[in-house]
């Protein structure tokens, strides 16, 4: 009987511990709201503004926030809301769509900020209890608890031969949780919420966070610049249909305000079409190469290396196909 009572008490002890840790870390978690321009069709094709919602975590005293790339990559404006309701504009410093990670910079710091500690995701084990804090459907600082269900490595598609490390969890995550932190019971961030697998569109027990060690490598050690472009990759028969002078390219869909892409004058699409059951915007530029690195498998890593070697103020060159003609456009690295 004594051993049964002790066994039954274990979950309560864990829950009590999570409650205490949550109080310590909740103010590191923020709500990320965005606005962006999208092409809409009704009686006529027109450009409209759309709002977006996600979560993030404050990681430095100079105002840096980690979130998911898909939350902010095409955003024209980003605003951060803290637990006490204070809102502060932010800009995108770095964004890696292939790993779904982004780094933001606050315009100014709130008083008495609480900074999250990044943990070592390599030490996280299947079966470890974790918790996620975020803003599902806009309900800020919502806590969900679960376990690490698995650790996965998946090939990064769309131009990068590297792998992405994901932490699978049964903790409930929904729309608005994207970009929010996954904490271990020490209050350390071991993952950044990315996506779910679902038939219904809501949470069904399989969620994924990008491992914190990968986030540090991509965003802090060797940052990936923010180009602000949403693209549709062309290869094979599609490359031939668009008359590409090479095997692959990226048809630009949208260009975010304030991004490197906008400063270079890159143009997005204006005409909605359906290709292979996927909606695509036609009429935009087609990117062929960046810094003489052609778009092909593995180009992202090489492109990152070359661009990181460029000093601020020096030019970055992109080769595009516009109206059937190849041209080079440049902008100064910020």
């Amino acid at each position: 009987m004594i051993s049964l009572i002790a066994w039954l008490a274990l979950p309560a002890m864990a829950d009590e511990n999570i409650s205490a840790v949550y109080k310590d870390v909740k103010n590191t978690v923020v709500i990320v709201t965005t606005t962006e321009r999208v092409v809409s069709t009704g009686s006529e094709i027109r450009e409209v503004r759309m709002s977006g919602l996600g979560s993030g975590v404050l990681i430095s005293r100079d105002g840096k926030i980690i979130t998911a790339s898909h939350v902010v990559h095409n955003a024209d404006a980003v605003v951060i809301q803290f637990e006490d309701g204070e809102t502060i504009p932010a800009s995108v410093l770095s964004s890696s769509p292939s790993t779904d990670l982004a780094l933001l910079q606050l315009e100014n710091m709130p008083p008495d900020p609480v900074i999250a500690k990044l943990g070592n995701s390599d030490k996280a084990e299947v079966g470890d209890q974790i918790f996620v804090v975020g803003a599902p459907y806009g309900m800020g600082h919502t806590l969900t608890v679960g376990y690490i269900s698995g650790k996965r490595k998946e090939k990064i598609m769309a131009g990068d031969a590297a792998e992405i490390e994901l932490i699978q969890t049964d903790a409930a995550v929904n729309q608005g949780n994207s970009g929010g932190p996954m904490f271990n019971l020490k209050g350390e961030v071991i993952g950044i919420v990315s996506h779910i697998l679902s038939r219904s569109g809501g949470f069904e027990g399989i969620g994924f966070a990008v491992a914190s060690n990968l986030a540090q490598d991509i965003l802090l050690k060797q940052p990936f610049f923010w180009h602000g472009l949403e693209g549709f990759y062309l290869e094979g028969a599609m490359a031939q249909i668009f008359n590409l002078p090479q095997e692959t390219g990226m048809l630009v869909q949208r260009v975010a305000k304030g991004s490197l892409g906008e400063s270079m004058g890159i143009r997005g699409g204006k005409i909605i079409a359906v290709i292979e059951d996927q909606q695509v915007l036609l009429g935009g530029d087609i990117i062929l190469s960046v810094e003489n690195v052609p778009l092909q498998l593995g180009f992202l890593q090489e492109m990152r290396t070359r661009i990181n070697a460029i000093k601020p103020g020096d030019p970055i060159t992109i080769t595009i196909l516009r109206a059937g003609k190849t041209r080079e456009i440049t902008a100064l690295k910020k």
Side-chain angles (χ1 to χ4, degrees):
M1 178 66 72
I2 293 176
S3 62
L4 176 61
I5 292 174
W7 181 80
L8 291 174
L10 285 175
M13 291 171 63
D15 290 345
E16 183 177 340
N17 183 43
I18 289 175
S19 177
V21 178
Y22 169 75
K23 292 177 183 177
D24 290 336
V25 303
K26 67 175 183 176
N27 288 338
T28 69
V29 183
V30 298
I31 298 174
V32 181
T33 58
T34 65
T35 57
E36 65 179 84
R37 296 161 292 172
V38 298
V39 175
S40 177
T41 181
S43 56
E44 60 182 15
I45 295 176
R46 64 192 187 282
E47 193 172 75
V48 299
R49 287 198 170 273
M50 182 176 69
S51 298
L53 173 71
S55 303
V57 59
L58 183 64
I59 62 160
S60 71
R61 295 200 173 275
D62 63 351
K64 290 182 173 58
I65 291 170
I66 293 180
T67 186
S69 175
H70 75 264
V71 174
V72 300
H73 187 72
N74 297 114
D76 295 315
V78 179
V79 174
I80 303 301
Q81 181 178 326
F82 288 84
E83 198 271 343
D84 62 1
E86 182 178 6
T87 59
I88 300 175
S91 57
V92 183
L93 287 181
S94 177
S95 178
S96 172
S98 60
T99 58
D100 199 19
L101 292 165
L103 187 67
L104 307 178
Q105 176 67 58
L106 290 170
E107 286 191 2
N108 56 273
M109 287 292 286
D112 303 319
V114 181
I115 310 302
K117 180 179 180 181
L118 296 176
N120 183 354
S121 54
D122 288 344
K123 293 184 178 181
E125 300 286 348
V126 175
D128 287 353
Q129 191 169 31
I130 54 85
F131 63 97
V132 171
V133 184
Y137 301 106
M139 294 183 285
H141 295 82
T142 294
L143 167 74
T144 58
V145 180
Y147 293 87
I148 295 178
S149 307
K151 297 182 76 175
R152 316 287 182 191
K153 288 189 176 181
E154 297 182 0
K155 282 286 186 182
I156 297 174
M157 302 303 291
D160 203 326
E163 288 183 324
I164 179 173
E165 184 177 0
L166 299 171
I167 299 175
Q168 181 184 334
T169 183
D170 63 348
V173 292
N174 286 284
Q175 295 180 26
N177 274 115
S178 293
M182 172 189 287
F183 292 100
N184 61 21
L185 296 190
K186 295 179 181 179
E188 299 170 334
V189 178
I190 58 168
I192 301 298
V193 174
S194 176
H195 63 280
I196 62 174
L197 291 181
S198 173
R199 296 181 184 273
S200 65
F203 183 70
E204 296 180 1
I206 304 178
F208 296 93
V210 182
S212 60
N213 285 4
L214 180 61
Q216 293 182 70
D217 289 342
I218 294 295
L219 300 177
L220 303 179
K221 295 180 181 179
Q222 193 179 32
F224 195 94
F225 69 102
W226 178 49
H227 51 70
L229 304 176
E230 179 185 352
F232 181 82
Y233 279 84
L234 305 172
E235 59 183 351
M238 292 298 296
Q240 295 177 13
I241 291 171
F242 282 85
N243 294 316
L244 266 61
Q246 59 188 49
E247 294 182 354
T248 58
M250 187 181 78
L251 176 63
V252 178
Q253 302 291 280
R254 280 180 279 269
V255 184
K257 184 179 179 180
S259 66
L260 175 65
E262 185 191 47
S263 68
M264 301 186 86
I266 296 175
R267 301 173 184 176
K270 296 292 184 182
I271 302 170
I272 298 175
V274 177
I275 300 177
E276 298 180 345
D277 298 324
Q278 184 172 349
Q279 183 171 292
V280 179
L281 290 175
L282 304 180
D285 294 332
I286 299 175
I287 296 178
L288 302 176
S289 68
V290 179
E291 282 298 299
N292 295 317
V293 180
L295 271 74
Q296 58 188 358
L297 184 63
F299 85 96
L300 287 178
Q301 183 59 47
E302 185 178 352
M303 182 176 66
R304 180 187 301 127
T305 300
R306 291 198 184 189
I307 289 179
N308 283 344
I310 297 174
K311 298 178 181 179
D314 286 346
I316 296 174
T317 302
I318 294 181
T319 304
I320 64 168
L321 185 67
R322 176 183 293 172
K325 297 181 180 180
T326 301
R327 64 173 67 186
E328 288 189 349
I329 54 178
T330 60
L332 300 182
K333 183 179 179 182
K334 297 180 180 180

